[in-house]
Amino acid sequence: MEYQKLASVYERLEITPAKLEKTDIIAGLLGETPDELLDIVPSLLMGRIFPDWSQLELGMGPGLLYDSVCFITGVSKDALKDTIRDEGDVGKATEKLLEKKVQSSLFSKKLEVREVYEKFEKIAGAAGAKSQDKMKRILSDLLNSATPSEAKYITRTVLDELRVGVAEGLVRDAIALAFDVPKDAVERAYMITNDFGVVAKTAKAAGEKGLQGLKMKIGVPLKPMLSQIAPSIDDVLGDVEDVAFEIKYDGARLQIHKNGSEVRLFSRRLEEVTQNLPDIVEYAKKAIKEDAIVEGEAVAIDPVTRKPRAFQYMLKRFRRKYDIERMAKEIPFETYLFDVLYARGKSQIDEPFKNRRKLLEEIIEPIDKKFELAKQRITHDASVAEEFYNEAIEMGHEGLMIKNRLASYTPGARVKHMYKIKPVMETLDLVIVGALWGTGKRTGWLSSYVLGAKDMETGEFTSVGRVGTGVTEEQLQEFTDVLKPLIEYESGGEVRLHPDVVVEVAFQEIQESPQYKSGFALRFPRVMRIREDKSPSDAETLERLKVLYEAQRGQAK
Ligand code: AMP
């Protein structure tokens, strides 16, 4: 299949706002996609190249991309940035610049989808010294053989900002429509495999039965189930019949896959972190008695005070590429397991939580203060729960998780049966989509940040206000270092950023505001910390903001 075909579908999706029409367009394309491309086309339609669980990553930020675009269009970086500012994004800017150039270069051969994908694979695989040059060369080659409209979507795909308004829900519906299978079956198969490519192929080849037969695989991480903020313990007790309270450890979530003598660890963002945490691997080998996928929280607890250490401190170990053994000694981790997704040769996600916990107790031989089960209390008595909550806070933990013991595990969903309760309730994890260069004492630093929440309908980030308070000098430096490579373009003192960094923001309330695209703004926002463990897709969505806004209004009445 020619890439131009995909590009023209992107083109149509971009100008079609209606969901049903979009679904038809996608289903049409999937129906025509040859079998050997069905594993990659569904992801490409969402602007993603590799499935979420894949350890392949393109790793090209705006800087490298711009170099390639400048190289093939022959314009300077400043001229490119000006065009991006005028056109609104790098895709349109590249298209425009190439259109001007087009008369001089005739396309000898049409680009194939497979060829584009393979070039992306090569970029992701470029390693070692000079890898950046290699990446730029491959991308320049690719852009050189692309038409202006193809180049528009290639550049956007590279930056993971396709802007055609296709999120997972649409792809799910389109697979169901294209291959005449129920949406539920597609959804379920996607949860288990975490890969729309596999789902589409199976739906086409073997229909609903085939989808039902898809199995979870040890080694392929699943999207984590996400919790909600609980208004109060009483509220949850009023709503849920059978509840378990657990300590909410303030660490990093880990999905642990054990297969025979092999243990692999995945972060909440599904990145493999096995190499970084050899101590946890060793504990897991000893403590997990059979093949399984379990989940837990790794926390750095000070061995003397028994208090958890600062989150940032702990993340050091996740980032570390050298001196790993020394770091393991300096910052020992304790792991507290709270769920099991696979064991006894099959998926466990449909089992109620109480059965999963029981199974977890059966398959884990705890190692004291190293690798244990999350502390749990089952009660329907609010005062017992309050006491447990106070205990958790006193021990230095974040608060409690409240779980419905009858509920199943839904990968990737923010469910209504797992809650968190913390002392500072009003914090949100949002994506930084823009920033302002500081003035006066803050000159040289990016010091005020535009926050975005994902609109699940379109998959795009819309702004929900700005935050500049609560940032220490140390954080200013940290934020600037992290954000600078993500600058897409600048205008005045304002920069637009590639949405990649998640920040935790405290605030007093959510207000309606015509000033921001989302229609919302946060009152008295304060920066807490960068959430390196979270990817933009884990951040709060616009839909959630609306729910929180409504809930808040309800409370005010
Ligand atoms: P948050 O990151 O604030 O949305 O809170 C949810 C996170 O708390 C989960 O993703 C886990 O990483 C973490 N967590 C800590 N302790 C537990 C626990 N006992 N059960 C579930 N999640 C926990």
Side-chain angles (χ1 to χ4, degrees):
M1 188 159 82
E2 287 171 6
Y3 188 74
Q4 187 56 54
K5 181 155 193 159
L6 190 57
S8 59
V9 166
Y10 287 147
E11 214 59 89
R12 282 171 62 203
L13 289 168
E14 200 172 345
I15 53 167
T16 309
K19 245 171 117 176
L20 283 178
E21 260 176 76
K22 277 182 129 101
T23 312
D24 281 342
I25 297 172
I26 302 172
L29 181 78
L30 292 177
E32 287 175 45
T33 302
D35 292 356
E36 68 276 11
L37 286 180
L38 256 188
D39 52 343
I40 56 176
V41 168
S43 278
L44 288 175
L45 281 163
M46 292 186 287
R48 298 194 207 143
I49 305 166
F50 309 112
D52 274 352
W53 53 265
S54 161
Q55 298 309 308
L56 281 178
E57 220 188 340
L58 210 58
M60 266 190 121
L64 293 184
L65 172 71
Y66 290 3
D67 283 348
S68 300
V69 175
C70 289
F71 179 72
I72 60 143
T73 55
V75 302
S76 69
K77 217 161 186 171
D78 284 342
L80 173 62
K81 286 194 174 173
D82 286 346
T83 318
I84 296 175
R85 196 191 46 229
D86 296 343
E87 296 296 324
D89 90 290
V90 67
K92 274 197 198 142
T94 309
E95 182 181 34
K96 189 130 201 179
L97 292 169
L98 278 177
E99 270 165 0
K100 284 191 193 150
K101 213 192 117 184
V102 99
Q103 289 86 339
S104 58
S105 65
L106 281 173
F107 310 106
S108 46
K109 174 169 137 312
K110 298 213 161 125
L111 266 182
E112 289 287 319
V113 173
R114 174 63 65 186
E115 195 183 344
V116 175
Y117 179 79
E118 281 170 359
K119 288 266 163 67
F120 285 149
E121 267 183 331
K122 276 205 177 123
I123 294 176
K130 304 242 165 88
S131 63
Q132 297 204 339
D133 288 344
K134 238 188 265 172
M135 288 169 149
K136 286 195 268 188
R137 221 176 20 247
I138 302 166
L139 185 63
S140 304
D141 262 5
L142 182 58
L143 291 174
N144 232 343
S145 7
T147 63
S149 97
E150 287 173 333
K152 170 176 167 186
Y153 294 107
I154 290 173
T155 48
R156 285 181 176 181
T157 303
V158 167
L159 277 194
D160 195 11
E161 282 187 74
L162 192 62
R163 298 164 164 244
V164 299
V166 177
E168 288 178 355
L170 281 186
V171 173
R172 175 201 58 205
D173 293 357
I175 292 176
L177 183 65
F179 306 118
D180 196 21
V181 285
K183 281 183 200 172
D184 290 355
V186 177
E187 169 113 358
R188 157 111 200 143
Y190 179 55
M191 277 181 194
I192 298 240
T193 59
N194 209 350
D195 189 340
F196 272 131
V198 170
V199 175
K201 263 192 147 158
T202 310
K204 183 173 180 186
E208 187 179 356
K209 271 246 147 56
L211 291 177
Q212 283 163 352
L214 283 171
K215 297 248 170 348
M216 213 179 258
K217 275 198 201 126
I218 302 183
V220 176
L222 288 104
K223 288 194 176 69
M225 175 166 84
L226 306 173
S227 62
Q228 309 227 356
I229 300 170
S232 71
I233 290 178
D234 282 338
D235 275 315
V236 180
L237 286 177
D239 283 351
V240 188
E241 214 174 289
D242 194 355
V243 259
F245 294 85
E246 283 179 10
I247 291 193
K248 182 176 192 320
Y249 300 91
D250 188 11
R253 192 166 182 159
L254 277 185
Q255 210 176 90
I256 307 176
H257 291 232
K258 179 159 193 259
N259 195 2
S261 59
E262 191 194 29
V263 164
R264 293 174 69 187
L265 308 178
F266 298 93
S267 73
R268 176 193 178 113
R269 301 178 71 156
L270 311 186
E271 286 157 349
E272 180 151 12
V273 288
T274 313
Q275 300 297 334
N276 296 63
L277 307 167
D279 44 343
I280 299 183
V281 170
E282 282 315 306
Y283 296 136
K285 277 185 187 165
K286 287 197 195 111
I288 309 175
K289 294 190 281 187
E290 52 191 83
D291 291 355
I293 304 177
V294 294
E295 251 195 328
E297 190 86 352
V299 218
I301 294 191
D302 188 312
V304 181
T305 64
R306 295 296 304 146
K307 298 259 179 206
R309 301 197 208 201
F311 187 76
Q312 286 309 108
Y313 190 66
M314 191 195 72
L315 277 182
K316 272 189 184 170
R317 284 202 55 197
F318 277 75
R319 269 189 253 148
R320 201 71 174 203
K321 299 231 160 57
Y322 51 91
D323 264 357
I324 284 171
E325 298 289 342
R326 185 170 61 83
M327 289 297 278
K329 290 213 175 69
E330 268 176 31
I331 311 179
F333 274 168
E334 297 180 12
T335 306
Y336 291 89
L337 302 174
F338 52 76
D339 222 321
V340 51
L341 314 184
Y342 180 97
R344 307 271 147 97
K346 57 178 199 278
S347 157
Q348 297 292 338
I349 62 174
D350 296 320
E351 290 295 319
F353 178 56
K354 61 178 184 184
N355 294 4
R356 300 202 305 278
R357 170 78 188 199
K358 190 161 162 279
L359 181 58
L360 195 60
E361 286 166 12
E362 283 167 23
I363 64 168
I364 302 295
E365 184 75 59
I367 306 174
D368 191 38
K369 299 205 174 54
K370 297 290 177 215
F371 201 86
E372 296 185 32
L373 266 67
K375 230 188 212 158
Q376 194 186 65
R377 202 158 294 175
I378 296 162
T379 179
H380 217 270
D381 181 337
S383 61
V384 175
E386 294 277 351
E387 201 181 298
F388 190 36
Y389 174 73
N390 291 334
E391 243 172 68
I393 302 289
E394 248 163 59
M395 283 156 73
H397 299 302
E398 252 194 308
L400 292 182
M401 300 297 295
I402 319 180
K403 303 180 181 180
N404 182 342
R405 295 178 75 229
L406 305 180
S408 54
Y409 189 103
T410 327
R414 195 172 285 283
V415 294
K416 292 203 167 65
H417 52 69
M418 178 164 86
Y419 298 92
K420 55 187 170 189
I421 179 147
K422 329 191 225 179
V424 190
M425 211 175 67
E426 317 297 6
T427 72
L428 286 174
D429 296 324
L430 296 162
V431 180
I432 302 182
V433 295
L436 285 183
W437 283 111
T439 52
K441 265 168 71 184
R442 293 179 159 200
T443 303
W445 281 320
L446 288 168
S447 66
S448 170
Y449 315 105
V450 184
L451 305 167
K454 193 173 200 166
D455 182 339
M456 288 310 277
E457 293 256 305
T458 63
E460 266 136 50
F461 293 94
T462 52
S463 48
V464 295
R466 207 188 272 286
V467 61
T469 339
V471 200
T472 62
E473 277 204 0
E474 208 183 9
Q475 277 180 320
L476 278 175
Q477 190 61 53
E478 182 198 356
F479 276 60
T480 308
D481 290 345
V482 177
L483 297 175
K484 229 169 146 181
L486 303 175
I487 294 180
E488 292 190 343
Y489 60 83
E490 304 188 22
S491 170
E494 206 164 338
V495 302
R496 202 183 107 136
L497 295 166
H498 177 50
D500 196 39
V501 173
V502 179
V503 66
E504 185 177 338
V505 179
F507 63 99
Q508 205 181 56
E509 64 174 355
I510 301 171
Q511 297 174 308
E512 271 189 276
S513 162
Q515 200 183 341
Y516 295 102
K517 205 171 156 202
S518 63
F520 293 110
L522 303 180
R523 190 168 148 87
F524 300 135
R526 278 184 80 77
V527 171
M528 305 298 282
R529 60 187 179 181
I530 292 185
R531 292 290 309 243
E532 260 182 76
D533 57 325
K534 291 198 171 178
S535 66
S537 54
D538 293 330
E540 297 292 351
T541 59
L542 193 55
E543 287 75 3
R544 283 265 308 137
L545 235 66
K546 282 182 195 155
V547 171
L548 288 175
Y549 174 71
E550 290 302 332
Q552 178 192 288
R553 276 180 22 143
Q555 276 169 17
K557 269 180 212 156

